[in-house]
Amino acid sequence: MKKKLKVAVLIDAWFPFYGGGQVHVRELTKRLSVDCRFKLYHPNSTNILLRFLWALTVIPQLLRDYSTERFDLIHAHAYIAGFPGKVISKILHIPVVYTVHGSNVLDLRELTRSNPALDIKIPIWKYALEKWLLTGIRYDHQITVGSKYLTHKNVNKNISVIPNGVDTKEFDKLKETKRKQFTLIFVGRDDPMKGIQFLDGAMNLIHQKHPQIKLVKIKTGKIQGRKLVKEYKSSHVFILPSLSEGHPLTLLEAWAAELPVIVTSVGDNPKMVKKGVNGYLVPAADEESLAQAILDAYRNPNLERLGKAGYNLVKKKYTWEKAAKATLKVYKEVIHGVR
Amino acid sequence: MALDKTLLEILACPDCRGDITYSKRGKKESLKCLKCKRVFEVKNGIPIMLPKDFKEEN
């Protein structure tokens, strides 16, 4: 019987907190369970102070478990889990892999520099902490879901880009009629980083002329599975006005639902969204451009074709099977490389 | 006299064909192109929307 790799997974928030990192870990551990045995370490609260505390208490906890578990490697997920992951790796002399799901504060600092009118304050401690966790600590290997992250300074040379995936079969199972009213759908966390204030501004602008255009806002995690698929499929356009992204799952989901998309030019979005092919790309923090894109989509007779093109892209290129295979390759390289 | 809002249905930017939005600050009304961000004055309810390259015939 093939010997399974034993992996300790550290992540500083877990369901019901619903984010890209949590879905990424859930989907990968499911698909890698044939080759790996995972033990998951995460705090039981989403309170930021308790998450910091967890980043310390998980160290002795994992050291105790090591005597029976004999982990081959540690896989920590951004952000805070990078610190205990590195400390444990040093103590136990086992490799640590660190996955970056986005570099919000680093990206935001770039955006505010190129867009001084943008009134967003970034706490210096948050910037320093994220910078240190992402590019200060030297992990044996890093994984980033988005390639935009590679453009930041001092990024670890041992790094692989492993995009998120989506399971199109979950979407194919459900047929749903479109709402009569032209409907935009936004799915995301209630977080200023998602740029919701610019979306609200854009809606005010377009409602001057087209009050019938409707916006459905869904907070991630609030509804999931079939209900979420139904919401996607009954809408006409997906809209993601974020100020920063890594490799957004909701964009992949929207395409899996064959929806045309309007997204901001952040993270890996510009690499995936092609104007007139599978969606619309607009500058971040620009409600007027967002409003113009909504009106362009609203009047586009070939709108559905953009959604189909997006579906074909995710079906071919962004699957969890591909992500799992690439992750397993990193695990094997890191273990053989270190021992 | 204020701008007749139904005009917004038919107005487009003379330069780039972008959509036009209306705003009012105090008594001052203006129109703005969503695409090229050009702002147009509104005088007595009449939008002044001359293309940039407009030349008056003498």
Side-chain angles (χ1 to χ4, degrees), chain A residues 210-223:
Chain A
H210 297 288
Q212 75 285 8
I213 293 179
K214 191 176 175 211
L215 170 63
V216 168
K217 282 187 198 172
I218 296 171
K219 198 173 162 210
T220 35
K222 259 289 174 285
I223 53 172

Side-chain angles (χ1 to χ4, degrees), chain A residues 118-169:
Chain A
L118 203 53
D119 177 27
I120 291 183
K121 298 282 169 290
I122 306 166
I124 195 75
W125 68 268
K126 213 172 180 192
Y127 173 74
L129 178 64
E130 183 178 304
K131 196 164 169 231
W132 175 61
L133 285 165
L134 295 187
T135 61
I137 296 177
R138 280 299 116 179
Y139 306 96
D140 295 286
H141 200 96
Q142 258 180 277
I143 294 169
T144 174
V145 297
S147 57
K148 169 72 170 59
Y149 171 69
L150 306 177
T151 64
H152 288 299
K153 287 197 208 97
N154 200 33
V155 166
N156 191 328
K157 299 261 174 324
N158 295 325
I159 191 160
S160 309
V161 179
I162 302 179
N164 286 315
V166 68
D167 187 353
T168 45
K169 291 191 292 302

Side-chain angles (χ1 to χ4, degrees), chain A residues 205 208-210 286 288-289 291-292 295-296 299, chain B residues 8-9 11 18-22 32 34-35 37:
Chain A
L205 291 174
Q208 285 183 12
K209 284 209 263 193
H210 297 288
D286 180 343
E288 283 145 2
S289 297
Q292 184 64 70
L295 294 173
D296 291 345
R299 289 188 287 248
Chain B
L8 289 177
E9 295 291 324
L11 288 177
D19 280 90
I20 297 295
T21 60
Y22 168 84
K32 186 173 185 181
L34 288 175
K35 204 173 266 183
K37 315 285 196 247

Side-chain angles (χ1 to χ4, degrees), chain A residues 271-285:
Chain A
K271 277 186 63 183
M272 298 189 285
V273 177
K274 299 287 173 245
K275 183 167 186 208
V277 173
N278 53 24
Y280 295 82
L281 210 52
V282 296

